[in-house]
């Protein structure tokens, strides 16, 4: 009976030896696999060492599915899972790590940490970077309008080719980036391009041959040039008509004016016999500061001026303070800051 039991035990041991795996990674002695399991994507095995059957736990590799199976990654192998490139790496101390080492973009290409891709015609940017100690993919909309591999910010202008190449009246379209209602960004056609000259829609320009033209929008997104007579470029002010490029001095406003393509432009200010450039700031009498503003002259005074009275919205334009003169002392110490008055 004892011989019969020993025979059965020997048969069982033989079957286990035939079905068991032999593990020899980093070891010279054979190891017989007792059992395997997966914990935190790392596959381990429980083995017995040598004749003394000393138990030992050894990591086999990495399991991308986090399930114990016959398929797993060996150290140094990689796998693409959930839009990331995962790598099974073994440290010098023999510890295995399974972690994301790179991102996979929408086209299946590898993105290393720090790289970015432009998607959806350049209006969407995909970032691959380490945030909070972990590798992440971050998608953001580009802050601006996209054209020719360039992002243009709000109100920025650029030149695009003419939509209809057969129309040789212009060299290109002048575009501008808008952000209506503080939401998405839109690129709009805002003018015509003649060589290096940009003319807004509804404005005038001059061709190299001397003829005058107007930029018009024939239909949405299409612009062209229309020949105009120089009389259409005249300016009207105070019941007077001024020819294009003409200059004059307005005594009431204390300013030198110019008619430029149908628009009245203030070129400088006049106080007595002095001419001041736009933006210039000088001390004047009555302890005031005078600023030559491109639109309305500005007086900044610390003291109350009795000659000023509050008037209605339709009140007369008082113009420069009567009798004002530029003071002799124009040192920096006498100037007052205008930062709280105007934002340029």
């Amino acid at each position: 009976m004892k011989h019969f039991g020993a025979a059965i035990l020997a048969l069982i041991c033989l079957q286990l030896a035939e079905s068991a795996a032999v593990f020899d990674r980093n070891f010279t002695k054979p190891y017989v696999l007792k059992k395997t399991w997966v914990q935190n994507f790392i596959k381990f095995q429980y083995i017995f060492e040598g004749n003394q059957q000393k138990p030992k736990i050894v990591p086999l590799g990495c399991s991308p599915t986090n399930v114990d199976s016959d398929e797993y990654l060996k150290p140094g192998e990689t796998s693409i899972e959930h839009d990331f490139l995962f790598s099974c790496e073994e440290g010098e101390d023999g510890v295995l790590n399974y972690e994301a080492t790179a991102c996979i973009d929408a086209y299946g290409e590898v993105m290393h940490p720090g790289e970015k891709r432009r998607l959806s015609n350049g209006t969407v940017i995909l970032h691959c970077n380490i945030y909070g100690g972990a590798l992440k993919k971050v998608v953001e909309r580009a802050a601006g309008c996209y054209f020719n591999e360039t992002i243009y910010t709000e109100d920025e202008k650029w030149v695009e080719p003419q939509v209809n190449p057969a129309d040789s009246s212009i060299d290109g379209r002048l575009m501008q980036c808008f952000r209506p209602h503080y939401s998405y960004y839109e690129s709009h056609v805002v003018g015509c391009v003649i060589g290096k000259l940009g003319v807004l829609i509804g404005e005038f320009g001059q061709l190299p041959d001397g003829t005058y033209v107007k930029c018009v929008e024939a239909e949405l997104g299409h612009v062209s040039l229309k020949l105009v007579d120089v009389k259409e470029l005249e300016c009207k002010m105070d019941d007077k008509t001024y020819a294009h490029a003409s200059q004059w001095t307005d005594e009431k406003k204390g300013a030198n004016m110019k008619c430029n393509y149908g628009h009245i432009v203030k070129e400088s200010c006049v106080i007595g016999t002095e001419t001041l450039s736009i933006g210039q700031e000088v001390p004047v009498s009555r302890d005031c500061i005078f600023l030559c503003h491109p639109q309305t002259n500005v007086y900044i005074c610390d003291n109350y001026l009795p000659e000023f009275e509050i008037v209605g919205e339709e009140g007369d334009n008082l113009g420069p303070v009567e009798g004002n003169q530029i003071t002799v002392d124009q040192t920096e110490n006498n100037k007052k800051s205008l930062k709280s008055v105007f934002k340029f």
Side-chain angles (χ1 to χ4, degrees):
M1 189 70 178
K2 292 182 179 180
H3 294 289
F4 180 74
I8 294 177
L9 180 60
L11 179 61
I12 293 174
C13 293
L14 179 61
Q15 291 176 346
L16 288 174
E18 289 177 351
S19 62
V22 177
F23 179 79
D24 59 357
R25 183 175 67 85
N26 296 336
F27 298 94
T28 57
K29 298 179 180 181
Y31 293 84
V32 179
L33 177 64
K34 179 67 175 179
K35 70 173 182 177
T36 64
W37 72 95
V38 171
Q39 183 176 357
N40 293 331
F41 297 93
I42 304 298
K43 183 172 184 177
F44 296 92
Q45 69 174 355
Y46 189 87
I47 58 176
F48 292 96
E49 179 180 358
N51 296 330
Q52 298 179 355
Q53 295 187 347
K54 182 180 179 180
K56 181 175 288 189
I57 297 175
V58 177
L60 286 178
C62 306
S63 176
T65 60
N66 205 26
V67 176
D68 188 12
S69 67
D70 293 334
E71 296 182 0
Y72 60 91
L73 301 177
K74 297 179 180 180
E77 293 182 339
T78 59
S79 174
I80 295 178
E81 302 288 339
H82 309 295
D83 296 330
F84 290 94
L85 177 68
F86 289 84
S87 178
C88 186
E89 300 293 341
E90 181 179 8
E92 295 180 357
D93 53 359
V95 176
L96 288 182
N97 290 310
Y98 182 69
E99 57 185 0
T101 58
C103 305
I104 305 299
D105 67 9
Y107 306 103
E109 299 294 331
V110 175
M111 293 176 59
H112 295 287
E115 292 186 352
K116 64 181 180 179
R117 300 280 192 274
R118 295 193 185 275
L119 309 175
S120 185
N121 197 26
T123 59
V124 176
I125 301 177
L126 172 65
H127 296 269
C128 179
N129 220 327
I130 297 177
Y131 301 92
L135 189 66
K136 297 181 181 180
K137 291 170 63 176
V138 178
V139 179
E140 66 174 358
R141 293 196 66 86
C145 302
Y146 176 82
F147 173 72
N148 196 22
E149 304 297 330
T150 304
I151 298 294
Y152 296 91
T153 58
E154 186 177 4
D155 296 331
E156 193 173 358
K157 296 182 179 67
W158 68 95
V159 178
E160 290 187 8
Q162 168 66 299
V163 176
N164 182 10
D167 184 2
S168 59
S169 62
I170 64 174
D171 299 322
R173 301 183 303 163
L174 186 63
M175 311 292 294
Q176 187 172 5
C177 186
F178 292 92
R179 191 183 182 188
H181 310 298
Y182 300 97
S183 55
Y184 53 88
Y185 292 86
E186 294 181 349
S187 56
H188 293 180
V189 181
V190 296
C192 307
V193 177
I194 314 166
K196 296 183 178 180
L197 175 66
V199 181
L200 297 177
I201 294 176
E203 300 294 334
F204 302 95
Q206 188 175 17
L207 299 179
D209 61 3
T211 57
Y212 293 99
V213 292
K214 183 178 182 180
C215 179
V216 296
E217 186 175 17
E219 55 183 285
L220 185 63
H222 294 263
V223 289
S224 60
L225 297 177
K226 173 186 175 183
L227 291 175
V228 296
D229 188 85
V230 69
K231 289 187 66 65
E232 295 187 41
L233 279 63
E234 294 178 341
C235 302
K236 291 185 178 181
M237 180 178 178
D238 297 334
D239 297 328
K240 294 183 180 180
T241 301
Y242 300 93
H244 166 61
S246 61
Q247 296 175 298
W248 69 97
T249 298
D250 190 309
E251 300 292 344
K252 182 179 180 180
K253 292 181 173 55
N256 292 320
M257 317 297 286
K258 180 180 180 179
C259 178
N260 186 51
Y261 291 102
H263 297 282
I264 298 175
V265 179
K266 181 179 178 182
E267 292 192 310
S268 59
C269 299
V270 178
I271 292 184
T273 59
E274 299 290 336
T275 299
L276 308 176
S277 58
I278 299 295
Q280 187 173 352
E281 174 188 347
V282 295
V284 293
S285 56
R286 307 187 191 187
D287 196 27
C288 296
I289 293 292
F290 173 80
L291 171 66
C292 182
H293 191 265
Q295 297 175 353
T296 301
N297 294 335
V298 178
Y299 294 88
I300 306 173
C301 304
D302 290 336
N303 301 323
Y304 168 69
L305 301 180
E307 63 267 30
F308 281 125
E309 295 180 357
I310 298 177
V311 298
E313 293 183 357
E314 301 299 327
D316 295 335
N317 186 348
L318 297 178
V321 178
E322 189 175 331
N324 258 348
Q325 296 179 354
I326 300 177
T327 59
V328 177
D329 188 359
Q330 299 187 21
T331 60
E332 293 294 331
N333 294 333
N334 289 337
K335 291 189 177 182
K336 296 179 176 60
S337 174
L338 299 178
K339 292 183 179 180
S340 60
V341 181
F342 287 98
K343 294 182 179 180
F344 296 94

